[in-house]
């Protein structure tokens, strides 16, 4: 149970960090999010709240509703990352209005693309939540 809680706490910290990072980029740095970033935020922001409450209450059943959020957000972030990397054709244009997904403004921390950070956060949260399911005390 201690290890399950550690996984849940780590997932919460990642979701909270990603949420605060998105708010910092948008509100402090003044960088407007593209359409795909808005969709990712719609899945990450609730995770920061529900995982925090679950960690405080030792509620490991949170995975039943947190996993669909993290998995779906991860799919959107993965799609966004493939667009950013140029793997998907430019004919697919989800960011018609607002900032471009391929501009230099989509990087932070010395050149790390924001879509990659988002995808990494969603993948890590998903893995940690799966860890609360599969790990059984001896």
């Amino acid at each position: 149970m201690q290890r399950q809680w550690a996984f849940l706490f780590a997932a919460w910290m990642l979701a909270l960090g990603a949420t605060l990072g998105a708010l910092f980029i948008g509100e402090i740095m003044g960088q407007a999010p593209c359409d795909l970033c808005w969709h990712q935020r719609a899945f990450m922001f609730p995770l920061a709240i529900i995982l925090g409450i679950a960690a405080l209450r030792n509620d490991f059943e949170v995975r039943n509703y947190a996993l669909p959020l993290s998995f779906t957000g991860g799919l959107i972030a993965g799609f966004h990352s493939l667009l950013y990397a140029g793997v998907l054709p430019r004919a697919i244009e989800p960011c018609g209005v607002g900032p471009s997904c391929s501009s230099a403004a989509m990087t932070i921390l010395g050149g790390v693309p924001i879509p990659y950070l988002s995808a990494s956060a969603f993948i890590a949260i998903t893995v940690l939540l799966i860890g609360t399911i599969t790990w059984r005390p001896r």
Side-chain angles (χ1 to χ4, degrees):
M1 186 160 149
Q2 192 92 9
R3 192 170 209 174
Q4 287 177 308
W5 186 85
F7 285 153
L8 181 58
F9 185 78
W12 174 41
M13 287 290 103
L14 277 169
L16 185 61
T19 297
L20 294 175
L23 290 172
F24 177 81
I25 290 168
E27 301 303 319
I28 305 299
M29 293 177 62
Q31 188 171 323
C34 70
D35 290 342
L36 285 174
C37 288
W38 275 116
H39 288 88
Q40 291 166 61
R41 287 176 178 201
F43 288 94
M44 185 61 77
F45 288 8
L47 281 172
I49 296 168
I50 63 174
L51 291 175
I53 293 168
L56 291 172
R57 298 186 65 193
N58 291 328
D59 179 12
F60 303 115
E61 297 303 313
V62 70
R63 62 184 169 248
N64 293 330
Y65 42 93
L67 268 173
L69 284 172
S70 66
F71 184 76
T72 306
L75 288 176
I76 296 168
F79 177 77
H80 195 181
S81 295
L82 291 174
L83 262 179
Y84 184 86
V87 173
L88 295 177
R90 285 285 158 211
I92 301 172
E93 196 63 47
C95 301
V97 178
S100 170
C101 288
S102 60
S103 70
M106 291 295 285
T107 62
I108 193 168
L109 302 173
V112 179
I114 294 171
Y116 296 174
L117 289 173
S118 179
S120 298
F122 278 116
I123 290 168
I125 290 168
T126 301
V127 168
L128 288 165
L129 289 172
I130 290 171
T132 67
I133 295 171
T134 57
W135 190 83
R136 304 279 184 242
R138 294 180 189 179

